[in-house]
Amino acid sequence: MSIPTYEIYALKYAGPFTRPASMMVWFQDLDKTVQTDYFIFAIRGGGETVVVDCGVRPDLAAERGLAGYVNPVEVLKRIGIDAGKLKHLVVTHIHFDHASGIRLFPKANIYVQEKEFRFWIKDPIAKRAPFLHVSDLGANQYLKKLEGSKRLHLIRGDKKILPGIELLLAPGHTPGMQAVAVNTAKGRAIVGSDVAHFFISYRNDIPSAIITDLRAWMKTYDKLRAKASSIDLMFPGHDPAMLQNYPTVAEEVVRLV
Ligand SMILES: [Zn+2]
């Protein structure tokens, strides 16, 4: 049986936000600002749907005053995905803007790297200020309760979850970050989430400034670059250029490939 090809969608659920450019690309343009958006991703093909990251739950979005926020459930509906019935949810890393909405997917198998889970859920360091700042403790609590259940898949390293869809351990931004390699009509693509915030990190070999291990990031970059069929098939986590440069299929939803 041949391996299916998949389509990849980027769905904006919040933004725009104005941020220092030096936060998005390591110590570049210290005097400039840039616009950034928050996204979730969907992979569809071969009769399957995989959602990558879950956005922010509505109550936390209100608490944090997130500009331009739309409930991820509503955003997914725009392309006919029912969050309540979704079977496969990949959490790339346990930052609030990627993991907070986890309870919006009550039936999903959740795929998260064991290393990532262990850090954010078990390591007291994760309770310290710089890490707390990017955490949703409600989501972490939810994940903790799922430990040992069939729904929570703690992944060790690289793993195929469906034919043509492989999780790749990709540390650097966080201790156990993962990216997703996807078989597409154009070749193998990488849904990198925050491995890179903007496309420019892949092009110029420089990460964002939100990094726990810079040396690990450089190795991750080489690993993902070697996996991707082309650098044009490596997709970042927060670049508004995704909305501008790819075909729109629904309100603030684009098809990347
Ligand atoms: Zn992020």
Side-chain angles (χ1 to χ4, degrees):
M1 218 177 74
S2 63
I3 295 168
T5 55
Y6 298 88
E7 296 183 333
I8 302 172
Y9 300 86
L11 305 92
K12 178 186 159 185
Y13 75 88
F17 304 96
T18 303
R19 296 282 184 263
S22 56
M23 178 177 160
M24 294 301 151
V25 185
W26 182 275
F27 286 99
Q28 303 292 297
D29 296 321
L30 293 170
D31 52 347
K32 291 186 186 148
T33 58
V34 288
Q35 299 280 99
T36 175
D37 291 323
Y38 288 2
F39 291 94
I40 51 184
F41 298 87
I43 301 166
R44 306 187 91 174
E48 298 283 0
T49 299
V50 178
V51 170
V52 180
D53 290 339
C54 27
V56 173
R57 59 187 161 90
D59 44 346
L60 187 72
E63 203 180 293
R64 287 198 175 223
L66 286 192
Y69 174 80
V70 183
N71 185 331
V73 172
E74 299 305 317
V75 175
L76 286 163
K77 250 186 224 164
R78 291 175 185 164
I79 56 167
I81 296 172
D82 182 347
K85 290 184 183 157
L86 185 84
K87 284 198 306 194
H88 305 288
L89 176 68
V90 174
V91 177
T92 61
H93 62 299
I94 307 179
H95 278 172
F96 81 96
D97 54 325
H98 300 264
S100 168
I102 194 158
R103 69 189 58 181
L104 306 173
F105 302 85
K107 296 266 163 54
N109 285 292
I110 296 160
Y111 306 89
V112 60
Q113 288 286 330
E114 185 183 43
K115 227 176 141 186
E116 184 75 357
F117 181 89
R118 246 194 284 123
F119 178 71
W120 294 99
I121 311 305
K122 311 256 173 174
D123 191 329
I125 295 263
K127 299 285 185 311
R128 307 270 291 272
F131 295 110
L132 208 51
H133 177 68
V134 288
S135 293
D136 170 12
L137 294 180
N140 293 7
Q141 193 63 34
Y142 185 92
L143 273 165
K144 192 178 181 181
K145 276 193 197 145
L146 282 180
E147 192 181 9
S149 86
K150 278 192 187 145
R151 281 185 64 210
L152 183 65
H153 301 254
L154 294 177
I155 310 296
R156 292 182 187 164
D158 302 347
K159 189 179 167 72
K160 288 197 172 72
I161 56 166
L162 289 169
I165 299 185
E166 186 181 10
L167 305 178
L168 302 172
L169 179 62
H173 177 61
T174 63
M177 172 100 201
Q178 64 184 350
V180 190
V182 183
N183 190 48
T184 76
K186 290 187 176 170
R188 201 186 291 115
I190 302 289
V191 179
S193 182
D194 289 2
V195 168
H197 285 66
F198 283 17
F199 284 103
I200 197 173
S201 284
Y202 292 135
R203 308 247 156 88
N204 293 358
D205 194 24
I206 303 180
S208 82
I210 311 164
I211 288 288
T212 55
D213 187 337
L214 184 56
R215 190 163 165 268
W217 188 88
M218 304 313 289
K219 290 182 184 173
T220 283
Y221 176 82
D222 290 345
K223 175 178 173 174
L224 300 187
R225 182 66 193 87
K227 271 274 181 185
S229 294
S230 145
I231 199 166
D232 296 328
L233 292 173
M234 300 175 79
F235 298 106
H238 289 273
D239 199 331
M242 284 190 283
L243 288 180
Q244 288 142 27
N245 299 342
Y246 295 88
T248 298
V249 297
E251 188 186 352
E252 298 197 299
V253 180
V254 293
R255 189 177 57 245
L256 298 172
V257 58

